[in-house]
Amino acid sequence: MLVIVDGANVVGSRPDGWWRDRRGAAERLRDRLAGAGLPGHGGAVEIVLVVEGAARGVESVPGVRVESAPGSGDDRIVELAAEHPGRPRLVVTADRELRRRVTGLGAEVTGPRAVLG
């Protein structure tokens, strides 16, 4: 399963001061994903964390590929979902419009709690 995580949306779902250090918040999310994977999914998953804005440039680590969106993170997420039409895809976001766009491509969606607990 390909798991595409909307970094800005997931990080922004908790008011923990992330806005003071967007890059650091994205790195913490990346590290959490690398350590815990996708809770509740025992099968093989490929995790892609999409970052944008001040979080661009966050490096990939074993278990999590980081994609820096050149523009809109949502647009990059849609592109990634569209690139793998025959593969199970799960997009992690609470963004309603993004959810609509990716489900139209056949992807499943879940909210930030799926990765934050």
Side-chain angles (χ1 to χ4, degrees), residues 4 77-85 89 105:
I4 307 167
I77 290 166
V78 171
E79 289 170 2
L80 287 167
E83 288 172 6
H84 304 279
R89 293 148 294 155
L105 296 169

Side-chain angles (χ1 to χ4, degrees), residues 58-77:
V58 169
E59 298 291 327
S60 296
V61 297
V64 179
R65 185 175 94 225
V66 179
E67 290 267 340
S68 291
S72 161
D74 290 1
D75 289 346
R76 183 63 187 131
I77 290 166

